Amino acid sequence: MNTLKHIRRNVFRVTQEEMASIAGVEQPTVSRWETGVNDPSLRHLKRIRAEARRRNLSWDDNWFFSTGGRAA
């Protein structure tokens, strides 16, 4: 499973629409990230991480910053 989809489903437990709001993008962008068509920018990754920390969710920077946003 794509790392971003895993984070959305299992860490945040939100819809693509809700993840889009967190990242500051539209829902189709999240879909493209999850299918590997596009990769999120560092700015978007940082927004997602910041929101996870704000919500006190379990977080590991290696999910994003060691694999480029995709499962290794």
Side-chain angles (χ1 to χ4, degrees), residues 16-72:
Q16 284 187 349
E17 187 69 34
E18 291 166 315
M19 182 58 80
S21 178
I22 290 166
V25 299
E26 299 293 324
Q27 178 275 326
T29 300
V30 173
S31 178
R32 287 190 295 272
W33 292 345
E34 290 185 1
T35 58
V37 172
N38 295 107
D39 290 323
S41 69
L42 182 57
R43 178 174 58 99
H44 295 118
L45 295 175
K46 286 180 176 180
R47 284 183 64 137
I48 294 167
R49 177 179 64 179
E51 182 61 19
R53 289 183 173 167
R54 189 187 73 75
R55 294 182 185 199
N56 294 316
L57 300 175
S58 178
W59 189 258
D60 182 349
D61 277 346
N62 288 321
W63 290 334
F64 282 156
F65 302 108
S66 291
T67 65
R70 293 196 181 142

